[in-house]
Amino acid sequence: MGFQIISGLPIWFSILCPLIGAAVAAVLYFRNKTSGFSRSLTIFLAFIRFLAVTVIAFLLLSPLVKTTGSNIEKPTLVIGVDNSASMVASPDSSFLRGKLPEFYEKLKSGLGKAYDLKFYTFGQQVAASENPRFMESRSDIASFITTMNADYYNRNLGAMILLTDGIYNSGENPLYPLRNTMYPVFTITLGDTVINRDLIISQVSHNRYAYKGNSFPIEVKIQALEAARESTQLVVSSDGKEVYNRKINITSSNQVFTIPLFVEAGEPGLKKFIITLDGITDEINTSNNKREIFVEVKEMRQKIAIIAASPHPDLAAIKRALENSNNYEAELSMIENFTGKTEDYSLFILHQLPSNNQSVRLINELIQKKYPILFVLGQQSDLSRINQFKAGIALSGFNKSSNEALPALNKDFPLFIITKQMEEFFATCPPLISPFANYQVSNATYTLAYQKIGQIATKMPLITFGQTAEARYGFIAGEGIWKWRMQNFVDNSNHAVFDDLINKSVQYLSQPGEKGKFRVYWNNYYAEYDPIEFSARLYNEADEPITGPEVKILITNENGKEYSYSFNSNDEVYELNIGTLPAGLYSFRAETDPGTGILTKTGNFVVSPLNLEDINTIADYRLLKVMANETGGTSFRPEEIDNLIELIKNREDIKPVVYSKKRYTDLVDFFPLLIILILLMGVEWFLRKFYGSY
């Protein structure tokens, strides 16, 4: 380490400092010959004053001390272990079950002194851990690599060591995030590449909803490996009763069956169907012979009325989205031609209405009869009449002008699940033509997307939902939503995300609205890895939202196991996130007492199982070798750990990095120097007083 004294003033000014110190000392001690001090004491006191004044004068130059040092950062080795269930699904799993700690110890003893070892597990999520449990239901290798690239950005990341079978069933191809990496990846090939005898229910396709008395389709895809000349039985059961049975004869060593079947929907409610395959001789893995699906049986198919002020491309986009679902029957008509009975419909979608007196009469009738409505606002809408309906939104200051409004997604939207695909969809949607006005929404309103004008995200709603004490209402504050459906096709070659958005919106609005003083909101379906979230609202006798009383919820699974929780209050809303739950059918009972008696709310929901890890258990060594080769690394078997350690030690690109550090310190802030000055001047003062001077 070195140091240097620098100043913002010319360096020759420092020559004046001792001259000033000498002048002050000389004037004080040598001009007056009758001070009474001895010669030696006079010289000593003058020297002390000289030092003190010189230092003070030098500090007036604002000197800085520049120190230069170095810091050595050891190269980091990231060790990631695949924590998914497929890692221990094959017979060749003894290394992971018994020898992984020994593998870790060899890495630490061989590389721990010269390298900084960091241990992680990955699957559904990335965690800093040396103790994998191999129970996660997804394997996302790309996410782990992306996370490490972000965490060690601008750090001395020397290499990555991956212990995995190469099977990924979530996220992108792990080769993609490796394209721009500057470090080598060493892969440890685990798992079994041998194809064993196995029957796999690889995919089950079905509708989430069915209607009482109807038969609904289920499509089961089965893969048979190394099972030629065997036979199995496909059985579908519900409530302990067999509803479908079929014998399957296998004729080749790798055969795929796609079996369409129909099951009759029984009584309304959430129903669980169990699909099983009988095992065959010497089958290694039987966990993938069973699948569970959940179907909600409803009373009848819902009719949706789409009524418009005039023809518009939005109408076809919305109607086609609804027709692609088996749950809805959509009827389209212009306002002047609508002659249907309002009681025949579950929901009314009003496009650019109200626009005339006939539409106002219809809307007043719908609100009076408490029917749910989805308003699509546009340039033909008579916005001055919207406020009269008291449907949760009010507009003012409208001067018949409009904005091009992009959707800014509200990721905290609680009314239905926002998928990753939907987030990506909203990021690419073209703008809607939205009325330029002042928007005001009620407390019982939830906004799915706000208006983004250019690059400015506003708090004006673009898509919002809410409810009054009577019914549910929704607003799309702009026309041109047909462009969203087209953009969805451009991006994905299908309309799946747009149709899902419309169907979820209609599903929420067409459900019976929450009424009463105590209201609870939840989703009917959750994926196994999704957090289970609830929200609730409580109103006093004056219909004012309150959050003082405690709200509790008791969740019960199919086996009678109970989970008890309490909601957290947040402003005017109660919220609860209980994390994940095992797959299954659950019921709940929420309860609170606002002081006027106990209020309760009951319901049920489904946690859908993920069986991704059972579908493919054959290790992909080819992918692991390509990942290593693309980054300048090497692929090893677990028993070749000594070769891996030796290779890392001999690589010239995995070395420590020396960082030079410069530090500037203002001498005025140097505390020891202040102490020295105080001592010098204190000693001088003491001696002068002691020997009788002033």
Side-chain angles (χ1 to χ4, degrees):
M1 177 180 289
F3 72 93
Q4 178 184 0
I5 297 178
I6 59 176
S7 173
L9 298 174
I11 192 63
W12 63 266
F13 276 30
S14 60
I15 301 174
L16 300 177
C17 297
L19 296 178
I20 295 172
V24 171
V27 169
L28 182 61
Y29 288 102
F30 296 105
R31 185 184 64 173
N32 184 4
K33 302 297 185 179
T34 61
S35 62
F37 300 142
S38 65
R39 178 175 178 77
S40 58
L41 180 60
T42 300
I43 294 174
F44 180 71
L45 292 173
F47 179 71
I48 292 176
R49 177 59 63 99
F50 164 75
L51 287 178
V53 174
T54 300
V55 170
I56 293 172
F58 185 68
L59 291 177
L60 293 175
L61 300 179
S62 300
L64 299 174
V65 176
K66 174 185 175 183
T67 56
T68 305
S70 60
N71 182 36
I72 299 176
E73 182 181 359
K74 295 191 294 185
T76 299
L77 300 182
V78 168
I79 300 97
V81 179
D82 190 340
N83 198 27
S84 61
S86 68
M87 294 285 286
V88 292
S90 66
D92 185 21
S93 60
S94 58
F95 168 79
L96 293 171
R97 296 186 184 278
K99 297 183 180 180
L100 184 59
E102 180 182 339
F103 184 89
Y104 281 170
E105 287 304 318
K106 283 190 175 181
L107 286 177
K108 292 176 182 178
S109 60
L111 300 171
K113 293 182 179 179
Y115 304 87
D116 189 10
L117 305 185
K118 300 293 184 181
F119 295 89
Y120 294 88
T121 61
F122 63 90
Q124 293 174 217
Q125 56 188 4
V126 178
S129 174
E130 296 184 35
N131 301 300
R133 301 177 62 188
F134 308 109
M135 296 177 62
E136 298 195 29
S137 58
R138 290 187 299 165
S139 180
D140 190 346
I141 303 175
S143 176
F144 172 70
I145 296 171
T146 301
T147 301
M148 294 301 101
N149 289 343
D151 289 352
Y152 291 93
Y153 181 72
N154 276 344
R155 300 270 301 277
N156 186 18
L157 179 54
M160 178 182 291
I161 301 173
L162 280 178
L163 291 85
T164 177
D165 54 13
I167 302 172
Y168 68 95
N169 45 44
S170 183
E172 61 184 351
N173 189 315
L175 289 173
Y176 296 155
L178 288 177
R179 288 174 174 173
N180 300 317
T181 56
M182 304 301 293
Y183 55 84
V185 175
F186 300 99
T187 55
I188 308 299
T189 56
L190 300 173
D192 193 356
T193 58
V194 176
I195 301 176
N196 298 297
R197 289 169 65 84
D198 199 8
L199 298 182
I200 306 169
I201 301 178
S202 58
Q203 183 177 340
V204 179
S205 301
H206 65 96
N207 296 329
R208 282 190 173 183
Y209 305 98
Y211 295 92
K212 180 181 177 180
N214 293 344
S215 293
F216 63 92
I218 300 176
E219 185 178 87
V220 183
K221 186 172 289 186
I222 299 170
Q223 186 175 11
L225 302 175
E226 301 298 326
R229 295 185 295 279
E230 294 280 355
S231 64
T232 184
Q233 202 79 12
L234 174 65
V235 178
V236 181
S237 61
S238 178
D239 295 330
K241 298 179 181 179
E242 185 178 298
V243 297
Y244 182 86
N245 190 315
R246 174 176 171 176
K247 184 178 180 180
I248 300 173
N249 295 313
I250 305 166
T251 58
S252 65
S253 59
N254 187 356
Q255 193 168 358
V256 177
F257 301 88
T258 301
I259 301 175
L261 57 98
F262 287 86
V263 175
E264 185 175 347
E267 292 300 316
L270 280 169
K271 304 295 182 182
K272 180 170 74 172
F273 294 85
I274 303 174
I275 304 169
T276 58
L277 284 174
D278 290 345
I280 57 175
T281 307
D282 297 328
E283 185 176 2
I284 298 298
N285 181 17
T286 58
S287 62
N288 50 22
N289 291 24
K290 178 180 178 181
R291 291 289 181 266
E292 295 180 356
I293 64 172
F294 297 87
V295 176
E296 184 176 356
V297 179
K298 298 184 176 182
E299 285 286 353
M300 59 180 293
R301 186 182 175 102
Q302 292 179 300
K303 292 180 66 175
I304 310 298
I306 306 174
I307 306 175
S310 63
H312 196 283
D314 285 352
L315 305 175
I318 296 173
K319 188 171 188 290
R320 287 171 183 168
L322 294 174
E323 289 175 341
N324 285 341
S325 168
N326 292 324
N327 303 322
Y328 307 109
E329 177 184 341
E331 293 184 3
L332 172 62
S333 63
M334 299 299 110
I335 180 62
E336 62 270 14
N337 299 326
F338 178 70
T339 57
K341 296 180 179 180
T342 55
E343 58 267 23
D344 293 339
Y345 302 95
S346 300
L347 172 70
F348 290 82
I349 300 177
L350 305 182
H351 191 274
Q352 301 197 77
L353 298 178
S355 62
N356 54 35
N357 291 333
Q358 183 180 356
S359 63
V360 172
R361 287 193 296 270
L362 173 63
I363 297 173
N364 283 331
E365 179 185 354
L366 297 178
I367 291 178
Q368 184 179 2
K369 293 183 177 181
K370 305 176 183 179
Y371 286 110
I373 304 172
L374 174 60
F375 292 91
V376 182
L377 306 182
Q379 298 182 59
Q380 297 182 54
S381 300
D382 187 351
L383 299 182
S384 62
R385 297 184 176 182
I386 288 288
N387 301 350
Q388 301 173 8
F389 304 133
K390 298 180 180 179
I393 191 171
L395 295 90
S396 61
F398 178 63
N399 58 2
K400 297 186 178 181
S401 60
S402 58
N403 283 324
E404 289 191 348
L406 292 165
L409 179 64
N410 174 20
K411 294 184 179 180
D412 296 325
F413 181 72
L415 300 183
F416 49 76
I417 295 174
I418 305 298
T419 63
K420 182 178 180 182
Q421 292 80 4
M422 197 176 291
E423 290 185 26
E424 296 171 350
F425 169 68
F426 272 99
T428 62
C429 284
L432 301 183
I433 305 302
S434 183
F436 178 69
N438 296 319
Y439 292 76
Q440 293 180 328
V441 295
S442 68
N443 292 331
T445 299
Y446 297 90
T447 299
L448 172 63
Y450 295 98
Q451 296 184 30
K452 183 179 180 182
I453 313 299
Q455 297 299 317
I456 301 175
T458 72
K459 285 300 180 181
M460 296 187 297
L462 185 64
I463 303 177
T464 188
F465 303 92
Q467 67 180 55
T468 65
E470 291 79 23
R472 292 180 175 180
Y473 300 102
F475 288 86
I476 300 177
E479 58 179 294
I481 201 170
W482 65 271
K483 299 177 185 177
W484 290 14
R485 197 168 195 265
M486 298 295 291
Q487 185 65 46
N488 187 199
F489 188 84
V490 170
D491 293 339
N492 302 312
S493 299
N494 59 54
H495 306 106
V497 181
F498 177 85
D499 292 355
D500 185 41
L501 171 63
I502 296 297
N503 278 273
K504 284 183 175 180
S505 301
V506 169
Q507 179 186 342
Y508 166 75
L509 292 170
S510 60
Q511 295 298 316
E514 287 290 326
K515 299 178 181 179
K517 303 300 181 184
F518 182 40
R519 307 171 187 178
V520 180
Y521 308 92
W522 74 100
N523 294 323
N524 287 334
Y525 289 90
Y526 299 91
E528 191 172 11
Y529 58 87
D530 285 338
I532 313 299
E533 296 179 327
F534 291 83
S535 63
R537 285 179 176 267
L538 183 61
Y539 296 85
N540 60 19
E541 294 301 316
D543 282 335
E544 298 169 328
I546 57 175
T547 55
E550 183 181 14
V551 175
K552 296 182 179 180
I553 188 170
L554 182 67
I555 299 174
T556 308
N557 68 8
E558 298 170 273
N559 300 321
K561 184 177 180 180
E562 296 180 341
Y563 306 84
S564 181
Y565 303 93
S566 293
F567 281 74
N568 298 316
S569 60
N570 183 11
D571 293 331
E572 299 178 350
V573 181
Y574 291 91
E575 296 177 340
L576 175 63
N577 183 332
I578 64 175
T580 59
L581 287 175
L585 179 61
Y586 294 83
S587 61
F588 71 84
R589 177 185 176 89
E591 186 176 284
T592 186
D593 185 356
T596 56
I598 296 177
L599 303 176
T600 61
K601 179 70 180 180
T602 60
N604 50 34
F605 62 91
V606 165
V607 179
S608 302
L610 284 179
N611 305 104
L612 301 177
E613 290 295 307
D614 292 335
I615 295 174
N616 181 19
T617 58
I618 302 172
D620 191 348
Y621 288 0
R622 178 182 173 276
L623 173 64
L624 298 180
K625 291 178 180 178
V626 171
M627 290 173 63
N629 293 337
E630 287 289 323
T631 59
T634 309
S635 191
F636 294 94
R637 290 292 298 163
E639 58 269 17
E640 297 175 320
I641 183 173
D642 293 332
N643 297 338
L644 169 64
I645 293 173
E646 193 63 29
L647 177 60
I648 292 177
K649 287 181 177 180
N650 294 332
R651 287 192 61 128
E652 292 297 325
D653 57 342
I654 310 178
K655 296 297 180 183
V657 175
V658 179
Y659 295 97
S660 178
K661 297 193 302 182
K662 295 179 180 179
R663 182 179 179 183
Y664 295 88
T665 304
D666 195 334
L667 275 180
V668 174
D669 299 327
F670 190 56
F671 187 71
L673 189 59
L674 174 63
I675 298 299
I676 293 173
L677 280 174
I678 293 174
L679 288 175
L680 288 174
M681 300 183 74
V683 168
E684 182 188 8
W685 175 84
F686 175 78
L687 292 176
R688 289 172 63 90
K689 287 293 184 181
F690 185 80
Y691 288 101
S693 182
Y694 54 90

